Structure formats: structure tokens, C-alpha cells
Amino acid sequence: MPAAGRVLLRSVTMWLLLQSLLLLASCLRSAAAFPKGCYPSEEEGLKTFRCSNARLTEVPRDIPNDTNKLYLDSNRIPFLPRDAFRDLPLLLELDLSHNAIASVESGAFRGLAEHLHSLDLSSNRLVSVSKDAFSNLKAKVNLSNNPWLCDCRLQELIRTVDLAAGSSGGIVCDSSAQEEHVGKAFLQVIADTDFCNVYKKTTDIAMLVTMFGWFAMVISYLVYYVRQNQEDARRHLEYLKSLPSKQRRSEESSTISTVV
């Protein structure tokens, strides 16, 4: 083989080797960026990122932004902050079940409204969540197996979200203002009780009691004021009677004019 050919072959070989090394380094760097126990895969043609049982205490960063299915189940995540998933515009399924989530900030799912169709928050520690946390979300939501406080706030939340099929029976009252509701499915309870209407009636009654109290105070003050002036006038008239007749008549006229 001519010398020029050998040089060309060597150059091509070195270039291919270099490219292979760069690709391998890139792959290793990407893998190192993922939290321990997390890995990307492809399932049914969808980009999937799994972090199940990875002992996570927060939503991990550096999740590939082309992820379609994200599994964060069976971890120790305590709350979901605002914009927790804002860099995942193509997310279709999000599994957050079996964590320690007790708080969901408003805007936690911002950016997912258009594509997300499945959200699993079952088996967490949710007691009360504002309906604003799920604003504009069209996904089927699983809220079962949480220690819910059954009140107007939960009633508004249930009316806002689209519950996943078969999950409604798992939304059970762990606590309630009325003891007889504890242990019952929430949808069964609100069939007979409108928590928001009860709250409104209680508020209205409190306002009426407060207004009546102020009205009674005003009336009491007016009665006291009139009686006090009457007593002062009576004492002054008795004083005038004790004076000589000429001076008494003059001051009586003045007193009567003042009273009138």
C-alpha cells in the first residue's frame, strides 16, 4: 500500500476512534448526572425516566426534557414546589405515588396542562390541598389513600380535578368537623352534606351575632346617656328648690330652657 494510503487510513482510524471516545464520554457524563437509582429507557415508543425506590427526598433535576413518562414513586419526597416540572413540556404520565407528600404548592404542575393525561398522587400524606394547585390540569388524577380532612376545601378540589377511574372510593375522610364522617368515602359524605354551604351558614350566623352585639352596645349606651342626663336634671331641680324663691325662679327658667 502506498505511503499516502497508509497515512489516510491511519487518519480515518484515529478520527473514528476519537469520535467513539467522545460519544462514550458523553454517555458516561449523562449517566453520572442522573441521581442514583434513576435511569432513562424507552417503553412502548415513549421516552421513560424511572426513579422508583431511589430514596429521593426531592424532585430530581436534570430529567431529560423529552421525557414522556416519569416514575418517582416509592420515594421520600415531602412536598412539591412551584414549577417542579416546568422543564418537561412533553410529559404524559407522572407517578408520584407512595411518597411522603404533604404539601403541593400552587403552580407545582404549571406547564403540564396541555399534554399530561395521568397524575398519580395516591398513598401520600395529603390532608388539604388548594384547588389552585391543579388549575387548568386536564389529567386524570388519583388522590386515593391519603389522610384527607373532609371540609369545603376538599369539596372544591374534588369538583376541580378529573378523578382517575376507580379511585374515588379511596378518598376517605381521615378527619372531619363531624365525627360521623370519619372513615367514610368522601363522595358518599357529600351526597348528604354540602360542606361549603355549611361553612357559609356558620359565617353568616357569626356575622349576625357580631352585628347584634354592636347594636346592643349602642342601645345600652343611649339608654345610659339619657338616664344620666335625667338624673343630672333632677338633682339640679332639687338644688334649685332649696334656693330663695327669686333666685330659684330665675334658675328654674334657665334650667327648663336648657332641658327643652
Side-chain angles (χ1 to χ4, degrees):
M1 178 181 294
R6 288 197 298 271
V7 172
L8 178 60
L9 180 60
R10 189 180 298 113
S11 299
V12 171
T13 302
M14 291 297 295
W15 183 84
L16 290 174
L17 180 59
L18 179 60
Q19 291 297 314
S20 299
L21 290 173
L22 289 174
L23 181 59
L24 178 61
S26 177
C27 292
L28 290 174
R29 187 166 55 251
S30 297
F34 299 145
K36 184 179 179 181
C38 298
Y39 61 91
S41 64
E42 188 165 327
E43 300 178 7
E44 300 176 351
L46 297 174
K47 300 281 188 176
T48 303
F49 194 76
R50 287 190 174 273
C51 287
S52 304
N53 290 294
R55 300 184 179 182
L56 299 176
T57 56
E58 63 179 3
V59 176
R61 302 176 183 178
D62 300 320
I63 298 173
N65 57 16
D66 60 348
T67 298
N68 303 128
K69 299 170 69 175
L70 177 59
Y71 292 88
L72 299 175
D73 55 300
S74 303
N75 283 291
R76 304 170 183 174
I77 300 172
F79 77 102
L80 300 178
R82 184 188 302 271
D83 294 323
F85 308 97
R86 65 179 179 180
D87 296 324
L88 303 173
L90 303 180
L91 200 61
L92 301 174
E93 297 182 19
L94 176 57
D95 189 349
L96 290 160
S97 63
H98 296 91
N99 272 282
I101 300 171
S103 174
V104 180
E105 290 188 359
S106 179
F109 304 109
R110 185 161 48 192
L112 302 181
E114 292 300 320
H115 297 92
L116 193 70
H117 63 69
S118 176
L119 172 60
D120 194 346
L121 282 165
S122 64
S123 301
N124 276 284
R125 298 178 184 175
L126 296 173
V127 175
S128 183
V129 179
S130 171
K131 63 179 181 179
D132 296 334
F134 299 88
S135 180
N136 300 319
L137 207 60
K138 301 174 184 177
K140 298 286 185 180
V141 183
N142 188 345
L143 298 172
S144 61
N145 299 320
N146 281 281
W148 290 110
L149 166 63
C150 289
D151 60 0
C152 179
R153 203 177 193 200
L154 179 57
Q155 182 171 316
E156 290 181 337
L157 173 62
I158 297 301
R159 288 175 176 173
T160 300
V161 302
D162 187 3
L163 295 177
S167 68
S168 60
I171 303 175
V172 177
C173 300
D174 188 72
S175 58
S176 174
Q178 301 181 39
E179 190 66 27
E180 64 268 22
H181 295 157
V182 176
K184 293 183 178 180
F186 184 67
L187 292 188
Q188 176 188 347
V189 171
I190 60 175
D192 302 316
T193 304
D194 187 338
F195 286 95
C196 296
N197 192 41
V198 168
Y199 175 78
K200 184 176 183 301
K201 286 182 179 178
T202 303
T203 304
D204 291 344
I205 291 172
M207 290 181 63
L208 286 173
V209 170
T210 302
M211 291 175 63
F212 178 78
W214 280 105
F215 182 74
M217 289 177 61
V218 171
I219 295 298
S220 299
Y221 176 76
L222 289 175
V223 170
Y224 169 80
Y225 180 79
V226 171
R227 286 182 177 178
Q228 187 67 30
N229 281 327
Q230 287 179 344
E231 183 66 19
D232 290 344
R234 185 184 64 77
R235 289 175 180 174
H236 191 63
L237 288 174
E238 289 179 354
Y239 166 73
L240 292 177
K241 288 177 182 179
S242 66
L243 296 176
S245 59
K246 185 175 181 180
Q247 182 180 358
R248 184 171 66 246
R249 283 195 299 273
S250 175
E251 293 200 10
E252 281 179 351
S253 299
S254 176
T255 301
I256 292 171
S257 299
T258 301
V259 172
V260 172

